[in-house]
């Protein structure tokens, strides 16, 4: 998005996460900001995560918000994946500090289970949006009212994307969504527990917000590259046999299987069967090697 806005790579810093927690370390961010200032760059905006797509890691938002306040920087929280988990108690506790952001993105097509696309941007001070996007075209003068949506974003003509979100909340009620989100969190914990009990498997990142990553590392296995390939084959085989689609990703340089338990229709039995199936595939593939 920063590139769309015209910033080039010299103006964008990708801050390294703490390898033990996958969270942005506040002191590291402070040091990066200091280094930029020394080099003549003014850090004006910091983007933190309310649940990363890869591992569900949540940045320490209260501390990051305090740093931004101290430095006069805009805090944007990327909550595309995680922010709406704030609806359930566990999510709210995990996302403490998100309310301090200047802006937050959130995708109802994730934890609110909506059809694509229904992304939202919340901004603390709507005047900021109006000052960026307001257009005063003569041909719009008859359509103008007190609240003109086209003043708050880049689109003039737009579809009614919010209708489906509003209808879902009206029909199912917020409680149903709270329960469904809590169910997704619980399924990830169950996945982690099942994987942890299987010999030869390692949980790479624990259950966080409905995401858990793991990999098969049988005793005596060769190199990291061979294990990467072995795990890629397990995922591909699982998909080709039509059983489940375990995504693969890379965590700290290693290939891992990634389970995202966000679908509210999935049950603990589905999870148990999938993990069992992965275990069987792993043994079969090892025999074939
Ligand atoms: C953390 C995070 N940020 C940004 C995005 C991009 O959002 P979208 O796909 O709605 O453009 C995603 C997922 O797609 C995400 O999980």
């Amino acid at each position: 998005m920063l590139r769309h806005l015209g910033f080039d790579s010299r103006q964008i810093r990708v801050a390294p996460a703490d390898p033990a927690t996958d969270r942005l370390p506040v002191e590291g961010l402070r040091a990066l900001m200091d280094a930029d200032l020394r080099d003549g760059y003014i850090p004006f905006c910091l983007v933190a995560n309310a649940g990363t797509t890869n591992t569900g890691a949540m940045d320490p938002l209260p501390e990051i918000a305090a740093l931004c306040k101290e430095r006069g920087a805009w805090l944007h929280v990327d909550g595309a994946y995680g922010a709406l988990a704030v609806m359930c108690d566990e999510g709210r506790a995990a996302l403490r500090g998100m309310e301090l952001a200047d802006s937050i993105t959130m995708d109802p097509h994730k934890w609110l289970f909506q059809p694509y696309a229904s992304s939202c941007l919340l901004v603390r001070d709507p005047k900021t949006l109006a000052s960026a996007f307001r257009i005063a075209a003569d041909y719009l003068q008859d359509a103008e009212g007190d609240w003109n949506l086209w003043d708050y974003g880049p689109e003039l003509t737009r579809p009614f994307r919010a209708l489906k979100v509003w209808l879902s909340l009206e029909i199912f009620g917020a409680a149903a969504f709270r329960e469904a989100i809590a169910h997704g969190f619980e399924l990830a914990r169950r996945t982690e527990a099942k994987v942890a009990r299987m010999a030869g498997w390692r949980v790479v990142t624990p259950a966080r917000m409905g995401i858990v990553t793991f990999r098969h590392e049988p005793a005596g296995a060769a190199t990291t590259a061979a294990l990467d390939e072995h795990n890629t084959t397990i995922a591909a085989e699982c998909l080709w046999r039509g059983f489940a689609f375990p995504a693969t990703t890379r965590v700290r340089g290693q290939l891992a299987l990634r389970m995202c338990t966000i679908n509210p229709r999935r049950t603990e039995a589905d999870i148990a069967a999938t993990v069992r199936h992965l275990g069987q595939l792993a043994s079969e593939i090892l025999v074939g090697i």
Side-chain angles (χ1 to χ4, degrees), residues 141-226:
Q141 61 190 7
D142 302 328
E144 289 211 7
D146 295 336
W147 183 256
N148 307 304
L149 283 174
W150 64 76
D151 287 345
Y152 297 90
E155 289 170 299
L156 178 57
T157 310
R158 64 171 80 195
F160 190 179
R161 294 190 190 92
L163 177 64
K164 58 197 172 209
V165 182
W166 179 80
L167 272 179
S168 306
L169 285 165
E170 280 294 303
I171 288 170
F172 297 108
F177 287 93
R178 280 195 189 99
E179 246 170 62
I181 297 167
H183 175 69
F185 276 37
E186 182 57 23
L187 284 186
R189 268 195 295 274
R190 302 274 167 114
T191 309
E192 179 190 341
K194 287 180 199 311
V195 171
R197 280 199 296 272
M198 288 202 307
W201 287 79
R202 178 168 68 87
V203 173
V204 178
T205 55
R208 297 172 183 143
M209 282 209 165
I211 297 176
V212 54
T213 66
F214 46 94
R215 98 190 210 125
H216 188 226
E217 290 180 342
T223 58
T224 299

Side-chain angles (χ1 to χ4, degrees), residues 8-91:
D8 71 29
S9 49
R10 288 165 306 167
Q11 298 166 298
I12 303 170
R13 296 271 172 272
V14 179
D18 178 335
T21 60
D22 304 310
R23 289 151 57 98
L24 288 176
V26 181
E27 286 317 310
L29 293 174
R30 188 187 298 279
L32 266 181
M33 284 175 148
D34 287 341
D36 274 349
L37 276 173
R38 277 196 303 273
D39 293 344
Y41 294 105
I42 299 169
F44 73 96
C45 176
L46 203 150
V47 180
N49 251 289
T52 61
T53 321
N54 215 25
T55 66
M58 285 150 277
D59 288 325
L61 299 176
E63 292 80 2
I64 291 180
L67 173 65
C68 287
K69 192 160 179 215
E70 173 195 317
R71 300 295 175 103
W74 181 282
L75 172 59
H76 175 70
V77 170
D78 180 351
Y81 170 68
L84 279 157
V86 78
M87 287 183 74
C88 75
D89 291 343
E90 201 182 330

Side-chain angles (χ1 to χ4, degrees), residues 53-138:
T53 321
N54 215 25
T55 66
M58 285 150 277
D59 288 325
L61 299 176
E63 292 80 2
I64 291 180
L67 173 65
C68 287
K69 192 160 179 215
E70 173 195 317
R71 300 295 175 103
W74 181 282
L75 172 59
H76 175 70
V77 170
D78 180 351
Y81 170 68
L84 279 157
V86 78
M87 287 183 74
C88 75
D89 291 343
E90 201 182 330
R92 189 171 326 121
L95 293 168
R96 201 173 53 83
M98 185 169 73
E99 71 284 358
L100 302 169
D102 295 293
S103 54
I104 306 175
T105 37
M106 49 175 69
D107 277 358
H109 55 253
K110 294 190 174 102
W111 279 118
L112 289 192
F113 323 111
Q114 300 296 307
Y116 299 149
S118 52
S119 305
C120 297
L121 174 71
L122 301 185
V123 174
R124 176 172 302 283
D125 177 8
K127 285 198 295 300
T128 325
L129 291 179
S131 65
F133 295 113
R134 177 161 169 68
I135 46 167
D138 292 340

